[in-house]
Amino acid sequence: MQLILLGAPGAGKGTQAAHLVQYYHIPHISTGDILRSNIANHTCLGEKVKTYTDAGQLVPDEIILEIVEDRLNKIDCDPGFLFDGFPRTLLQAQGLKVLLEKLGKKLNWVINIQVDTELVIKRLINRRSCPRCSRIYNIILSPSHQPGICDDCQIPLEHRKDDQLEVIMNRLMVYEEQTKPLIEYYAKFDQLFTVRGASDSYAIFEIIKKQVEKG
Ligand code: AMP
């Protein structure tokens, strides 16, 4: 099963990704998580990309495509994968197409999660995430049992630097300009499925599952 999750920041891609990878037993490939882990570990890549992520700007396509190629060549991607936050530009989508052709793989579905901007802003401001397992909480809608502590890892949750209002507005602008055109791109290949992302996450997951299983 080869899937892509598309949608604005805060649309709920991470939450649906967690449901989908558990159900289909495929790896969750979040380019954002890979970048954050490199930044936290002060790797050479982390140092290179930090200024972009802090400002809510996109990391250059060639860096992202190199990360993705390395990741797709790992053995756990043999049964499939789920991309979350990739591709984000037309160049990345075209690069992925070439990579998949090289590997003899085909995308099954591109799932586009659509949410109103107002809700997205509210979600991102209240979002907290676990730096270890990436589990996502919302301090109002889905808080952890112990405030500020991950239920699974028992370590402090973080409020991402790029989830501050000014950076959020920038990320939304970048999404409109550079990522939204991918909806039309994948619609042309008849691989796109759009779901409204405002309701309960399990209800949304059921809708996605039904569509994915149609084949
Ligand atoms: P995310 O966790 O997906 O919201 O990504 C956080 C940040 O990482 C983004 O605002 C970008 O700076 C960077 N990033 C993640 N994925 C990509 C990508 N596919 N292309 C370019 N930059 C990315």
Side-chain angles (χ1 to χ4, degrees), residues 7-8 27 31 38 45 65 76 88 100 126 128 139 176 181 188:
T31 41
N38 275 277
L45 172 67
L65 283 167
D76 64 333
R88 260 176 154 101
L100 291 179
N126 294 322
R128 301 292 182 274
I139 52 176
E176 286 292 322
K188 272 194 215 143

Side-chain angles (χ1 to χ4, degrees), residues 1-3 20-22 24-28 76 79-82:
M1 182 67 69
Q2 276 87 231
L3 302 171
L20 285 159
V21 299
Q22 196 185 11
Y24 289 112
H25 305 287
I26 49 176
H28 174 196
D76 64 333
F81 49 78
L82 170 80

Side-chain angles (χ1 to χ4, degrees), residues 8-10 13 30-33 35-36 39 49-61 64-65 68 84-89 92 124 127 160 162-163 167 171 174 179:
K13 299 187 297 295
S30 156
T31 41
D33 282 350
L35 296 172
R36 273 185 292 280
I39 292 167
V49 301
K50 192 175 176 325
T51 45
Y52 297 100
T53 58
D54 280 355
Q57 296 294 344
L58 292 186
V59 169
D61 292 326
I64 296 291
L65 283 167
V68 167
D84 160 9
F86 171 86
R88 260 176 154 101
T89 64
Q92 290 180 17
L124 292 177
R127 176 162 79 174
R160 278 169 47 175
D162 60 351
D163 278 347
V167 186
R171 289 165 69 203
V174 167
T179 309

Side-chain angles (χ1 to χ4, degrees), residues 15 123-124 126-130 133-146 148-155 157-158 163:
T15 305
R123 278 184 181 170
L124 292 177
N126 294 322
R127 176 162 79 174
R128 301 292 182 274
S129 54
C130 174
C133 71
S134 305
R135 183 165 165 187
I136 297 159
Y137 299 86
N138 180 295
I139 52 176
I140 315 274
L141 302 171
S142 53
S144 52
H145 289 122
Q146 206 186 329
I149 303 289
C150 177
D151 292 346
D152 298 327
C153 305
Q154 298 300 315
I155 61 168
L157 298 175
E158 64 174 20
D163 278 347

Side-chain angles (χ1 to χ4, degrees), residues 46-213:
E47 298 302 318
K48 240 194 261 176
V49 301
K50 192 175 176 325
T51 45
Y52 297 100
T53 58
D54 280 355
Q57 296 294 344
L58 292 186
V59 169
D61 292 326
E62 59 275 17
I63 297 182
I64 296 291
L65 283 167
E66 209 174 300
I67 292 173
V68 167
E69 180 163 16
D70 272 3
R71 187 64 190 85
L72 279 181
N73 277 316
K74 299 233 158 78
I75 196 150
D76 64 333
C77 290
D78 281 357
F81 49 78
L82 170 80
F83 280 119
D84 160 9
F86 171 86
R88 260 176 154 101
T89 64
L90 279 172
L91 235 147
Q92 290 180 17
Q94 286 155 357
L96 176 64
K97 192 164 178 282
V98 173
L99 270 177
L100 291 179
E101 276 163 10
K102 229 171 34 179
L103 293 167
K105 294 193 171 187
K106 215 178 146 270
L107 281 176
N108 295 90
W109 284 105
V110 178
I111 303 153
N112 174 39
I113 308 181
Q114 199 180 51
V115 179
D116 293 341
T117 306
E118 215 175 286
L119 178 60
V120 153
I121 294 172
K122 225 188 256 174
R123 278 184 181 170
L124 292 177
I125 285 175
N126 294 322
R127 176 162 79 174
R128 301 292 182 274
S129 54
C130 174
R132 186 176 297 159
C133 71
S134 305
R135 183 165 165 187
I136 297 159
Y137 299 86
N138 180 295
I139 52 176
I140 315 274
L141 302 171
S142 53
S144 52
H145 289 122
Q146 206 186 329
I149 303 289
C150 177
D151 292 346
D152 298 327
C153 305
Q154 298 300 315
I155 61 168
L157 298 175
E158 64 174 20
H159 187 195
R160 278 169 47 175
K161 215 170 173 176
D162 60 351
D163 278 347
Q164 318 288 336
L165 189 60
E166 198 186 321
V167 186
I168 291 172
M169 298 316 284
N170 202 15
R171 289 165 69 203
L172 290 173
M173 204 172 70
V174 167
Y175 167 77
E176 286 292 322
E177 284 173 3
Q178 305 202 51
T179 309
K180 215 172 170 185
L182 293 183
I183 297 175
E184 210 178 303
Y185 173 84
Y186 282 116
K188 272 194 215 143
F189 291 105
D190 259 347
Q191 287 169 316
L192 188 87
F193 161 61
T194 295
V195 59
R196 295 274 307 148
S199 52
D200 169 73
S201 87
Y202 290 97
I204 299 167
F205 173 57
E206 284 305 317
I207 297 171
I208 294 176
K209 210 168 71 183
K210 242 186 225 161
Q211 179 70 27
V212 166
E213 272 157 24

